[in-house]
């Protein structure tokens, strides 16, 4: 399988020891792309500029260059971000033509353009769409489109909009495989990336863009399929002394039968009037140990769905040879064995992939820690530092 990879070694999800270290967050972002029968789009990042908004800045509410900053209060949990209100901060006067020309040049300088097969000529022909999508995203994130900082412009025009256009390409290709009159199941796009690097916010932005252009989409996370608190207690009791299965996070802590039931039902939402309530997980329940949210709080989606955005840090992971796992940590043997059932529960539904890779996995611990701290500061229970280490101590 041919892969365009900016690093010397092709990337595969694997399991290895994980530790905390300080990182320099001022580096630039680089990307790579891969497309084959099961399409994959790879991003490589060692910058916090494209990380989850709740972790982007502890002072993100401050005004920047006349625009409102990126607010983090509504990104504390996976449930809250889906309920986030929209705001408009558009100036009354339109941008000058020179600003549009500058933006066109900025778009054309983006690292993803060639990777998704869009030429500068095609950008020029569709510049109105680029501006429209950018305007929508500025409204979503409470930004003034005329006073964007360089990181904000890069986030929107080098990252979110190109990925959205790639998703649109995948949807068109998917739908072309069906005959007129046939029910077309939604395309399931998988987003695999380490915790804290921005996949949830990316999905949030894409879901909104699909909504404003009239496509029906659904978002679901592997977090939504965690075992209930009772189920997690039983898992812990069945694996005494295994710190990797004491708390939610690793393979084995998900309700795979529930996953299959939900994903199957989503792919059958092909007609008007068909509805489904999507499960959600409350990470703040039981003092931060978490539990499945009450069904009365679950959001509802209605068919016909065009696309399902399915995100998670361990999507696509496959078990490794047992001997290789034992060398790393004997506790991993059970987790590795549990991975065998995950393809049929998750990966087989995914037809297109977006994979985000970071250069240094060690920073994931800091990002996870920031998310729990933000949740505690918002008045909700969150995991302790030690619990974060236990639940996500081994990845990649």
């Amino acid at each position: 399988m041919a892969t365009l990879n900016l690093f010397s070694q092709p990337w595969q999800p694997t399991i290895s020891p994980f530790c905390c270290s300080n990182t320099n967050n001022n580096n630039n972002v680089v990307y790579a792309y891969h497309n084959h029968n099961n399409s994959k789009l790879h991003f490589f990042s060692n910058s916090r500029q494209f990380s989850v908004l709740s972790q982007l800045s502890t002072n993100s509410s401050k005004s920047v260059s006349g625009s409102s900053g990126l607010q983090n209060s509504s990104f504390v949990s996976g449930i809250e971000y889906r309920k986030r209100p929209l705001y408009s901060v558009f100036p009354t006067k339109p941008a000058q033509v020179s600003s549009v020309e500058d933006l066109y040049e900025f778009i054309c300088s983006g690292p993803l353009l060639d990777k998704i097969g869009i030429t500068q000529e095609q950008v020029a022909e569709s510049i109105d769409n680029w501006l429209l999508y950018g305007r929508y995203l500025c409204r979503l994130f409470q930004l003034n489109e005329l006073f964007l900082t360089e990181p904000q412009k890069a986030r929107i025009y080098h990252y979110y909009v190109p990925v959205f256009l790639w998703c649109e390409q995948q949807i068109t290709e998917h739908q072309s495989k069906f005959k007129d009159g046939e029910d077309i199941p939604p395309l399931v796009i998988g987003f695999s990336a380490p915790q804290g690097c921005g996949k949830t916010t990316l999905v949030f932005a894409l879901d909104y863009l699909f909504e404003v252009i009239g496509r029906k989409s659904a978002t679901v996370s592997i977090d939504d399929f965690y075992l209930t608190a009772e189920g997690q207690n039983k898992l812990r009791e069945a694996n005494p002394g295994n710190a990797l299965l004491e708390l939610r996070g690793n393979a084995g802590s998900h309700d795979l039968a529930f996953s299959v039931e939900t994903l199957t039902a989503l792919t059958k939402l092909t007609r008007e009037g068909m509805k489904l309530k999507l499960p959600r997980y409350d990470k703040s329940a039981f003092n931060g140990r978490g539990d499945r949210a009450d069904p009365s709080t679950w959001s509802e989606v209605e068919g016909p769905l065009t696309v399902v955005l399915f995100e998670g840090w361990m999507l696509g992971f496959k078990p490794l040879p047992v001997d290789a796992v034992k060398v790393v940590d004997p506790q991993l043997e059970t987790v590795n064995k549990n991975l065998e059932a995950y393809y049929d529960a998750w990966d087989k539904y995914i037809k297109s992939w977006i994979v985000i890779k970071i250069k240094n996995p060690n920073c994931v611990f800091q990002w996870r820690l920031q998310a729990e701290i933000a949740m505690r500061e918002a008045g909700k229970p969150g995991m302790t530092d030690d619990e974060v280490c236990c639940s996500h101590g081994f990845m990649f």
Side-chain angles (χ1 to χ4, degrees), residues 39 60 62 83 85 121 140 179 190 224 238 265 299 306 312 323 339 341 345 375:
S39 302
S60 62
K62 294 181 180 179
K83 299 178 179 178
E121 290 75 16
L140 181 65
K179 298 177 180 178
D224 300 324
S299 59
T306 299
D323 291 342
L339 275 174
M375 189 153 60

Side-chain angles (χ1 to χ4, degrees), residues 265-331:
L266 276 172
T267 59
K268 292 181 178 179
L269 290 183
T270 58
R271 298 185 180 182
E272 293 283 351
M274 302 178 73
K275 298 180 180 180
L276 178 69
K277 298 200 76 173
L278 295 178
R280 298 304 184 206
Y281 191 82
D282 182 2
K283 293 182 179 179
S284 68
F286 292 97
N287 295 317
R289 287 179 173 257
D291 193 10
R292 189 169 298 159
D294 189 284
S296 65
T297 68
W298 296 1
S299 59
E300 185 176 73
V301 292
E302 183 175 350
L305 287 183
T306 299
V307 61
V308 175
L309 308 176
F310 184 23
E311 57 106 343
W313 70 271
M314 54 178 286
L315 279 181
F317 280 29
K318 294 178 175 59
L320 298 176
V322 175
D323 291 342
V325 170
K326 286 183 177 180
V327 171
V328 176
D329 186 339
Q331 294 184 109

Side-chain angles (χ1 to χ4, degrees), residues 19 25 39 44 108 127 139 160 235 258 266 273 366 389 395:
C19 63
N25 294 328
S39 302
F44 299 82
C108 291
I127 190 65
R139 181 174 67 178
Y160 292 164
L235 177 68
F258 186 46
L266 276 172
Q366 292 290 350
C389 286
M395 59 189 71

Side-chain angles (χ1 to χ4, degrees), residues 88-95 143-147:
S88 176
V89 289
F90 299 152
T92 56
K93 295 182 180 180
L143 301 173
N144 188 318
E145 63 178 311
L146 298 184
F147 296 95

